[in-house]
Amino acid sequence: MYDASTCLVINMKVNLLDVELVEKLQRAAAKAKPVGAVVAKLTSATLSGLVEYGCVRVIHPGMPQLPSPIVNSEMGRAFAEVCSPIGLRANGSQKLAPTLMTSQPYEFIILAKDEGTTASRWTEFSSRFVLSSTKIGFARKQSLGISVAMQEMADNAVIHSESSTGILVGYQAVENYVACVIADMGIGVLASLRTNERYQHLATHADAIKTALKPGESRYGFGKGGTGFATVFKYAAEARGTLRFRSGEASVSLDGQDEHTDRAINGSVAFRPGFQVSICCRSSDRPAGENLI
């Protein structure tokens, strides 16, 4: 446990790697504080926690590898199938996608920086997501809607991130809830928006995320982008969802479990390149209020 004066105190009894713990670990690493003892005690991870820890290891290579209970879990093994600096391995070839259109509890894909979501392998990936989410209790219409939201966020990353290492997209469909994560280590929302004169006044990463969340706003100018964020809000609200957007030194979380999808929780976080988006939706059988991100 760290000295309280560092504001980096981490409960040594914590065994779940979620995004809140990842933020604490990143702050500790930035101050050259040891985190090995905390990481070694971890036994499980949320999808977003797993991916965002990979993002932190890109900028802090000295961060320890995750312990075997996480690496050897079903989610960890699926994550290791893709090759990415964000992932559990950064060398070797990508594992081929399943040849059969069957449901998968966990699946990841890497999109090249110049690759959209119209390619056949994305179509198959998103189709398996729909199959997987309907299998655990989501109506097909809901599953299709969440799939569209995931695709909109993936397209957003491909178009705007300028990431040289590709876009990582993953999903989890287990125990009456689904989670999706889209992560890149590109230029981030603030730098992306500021390529347009309309947004030169933006000074903070928080302002940039809030601007990007507004309908019609895009680095190409008002009304010249897609409707990705609005789509995410819509389908998250319909599926009792929680959303998280993180870029630079800011994070914005939105609870779509009721009609107040514009009620945001803003956070100040340690700087991290790129843009990470998390979407978590619950079926009608899953209790609300759980920490699933």
Side-chain angles (χ1 to χ4, degrees), residues 16-218:
L16 173 68
L17 181 68
D18 58 12
V19 294
E20 182 179 355
L21 180 57
V22 172
E23 297 294 355
K24 292 179 180 178
L25 292 171
Q26 181 175 346
R27 287 185 182 275
K31 293 181 177 291
K33 299 292 183 178
V35 298
V38 176
V39 174
K41 291 181 179 293
L42 298 173
T43 59
S44 60
T46 64
L47 175 68
S48 299
L50 180 67
V51 171
E52 291 202 20
Y53 186 80
C55 294
V56 174
R57 290 196 72 213
V58 172
I59 56 176
H60 295 291
M63 293 278 282
Q65 294 184 353
L66 291 171
S68 58
I70 296 177
V71 173
N72 295 328
S73 67
E74 191 172 7
M75 180 167 61
R77 293 194 302 272
F79 197 29
E81 291 177 355
V82 296
C83 178
S84 167
I86 297 174
L88 292 177
R89 65 179 178 90
N91 299 299
S93 60
Q94 303 290 358
K95 183 175 179 180
L96 295 177
T99 57
L100 299 177
M101 195 56 60
T102 56
S103 62
Q104 305 289 323
Y106 307 94
E107 188 175 359
F108 297 85
I109 190 172
I110 305 295
L111 297 175
K113 62 180 180 179
D114 57 352
E115 180 182 20
T117 58
T118 57
S120 60
R121 70 190 192 100
W122 174 269
T123 301
E124 294 170 358
F125 174 84
S126 59
S127 295
R128 284 190 294 272
F129 168 78
V130 172
L131 285 173
S132 303
S133 55
T134 54
K135 182 179 179 179
I136 63 167
F138 284 82
R140 180 170 175 79
K141 182 179 180 181
Q142 277 187 318
S143 300
L144 288 169
I146 301 168
S147 176
V148 169
M150 179 174 66
Q151 179 171 330
E152 290 281 0
M153 292 295 93
D155 271 334
N156 178 78
V158 169
I159 294 169
H160 301 298
S161 72
E162 299 184 21
S163 172
S164 61
T165 57
I167 313 302
L168 188 147
V169 184
Y171 70 78
Q172 172 184 26
V174 296
E175 300 174 357
N176 307 113
Y177 79 95
V178 296
C180 311
V181 62
I182 301 91
D184 69 73
M185 296 296 281
I187 64 174
V189 179
L190 178 61
S192 176
L193 287 176
R194 282 175 58 86
T195 60
N196 187 302
E197 290 185 1
R198 173 182 171 87
Y199 306 109
Q200 286 294 307
H201 67 283
L202 295 175
T204 68
H205 297 280
D207 289 341
I209 295 178
K210 292 174 187 176
T211 299
L213 295 178
K214 296 177 181 178
E217 301 289 2
S218 160

Side-chain angles (χ1 to χ4, degrees), residues 211-249:
T211 299
L213 295 178
K214 296 177 181 178
E217 301 289 2
S218 160
R219 71 188 291 186
Y220 298 124
F222 184 78
K224 296 181 180 179
T227 59
F229 290 108
T231 300
V232 173
F233 294 158
K234 173 185 176 182
Y235 289 116
E238 292 177 353
R240 303 167 68 221
T242 302
L243 311 172
R244 170 179 155 94
F245 305 91
R246 192 203 194 282
S247 185
E249 296 176 338

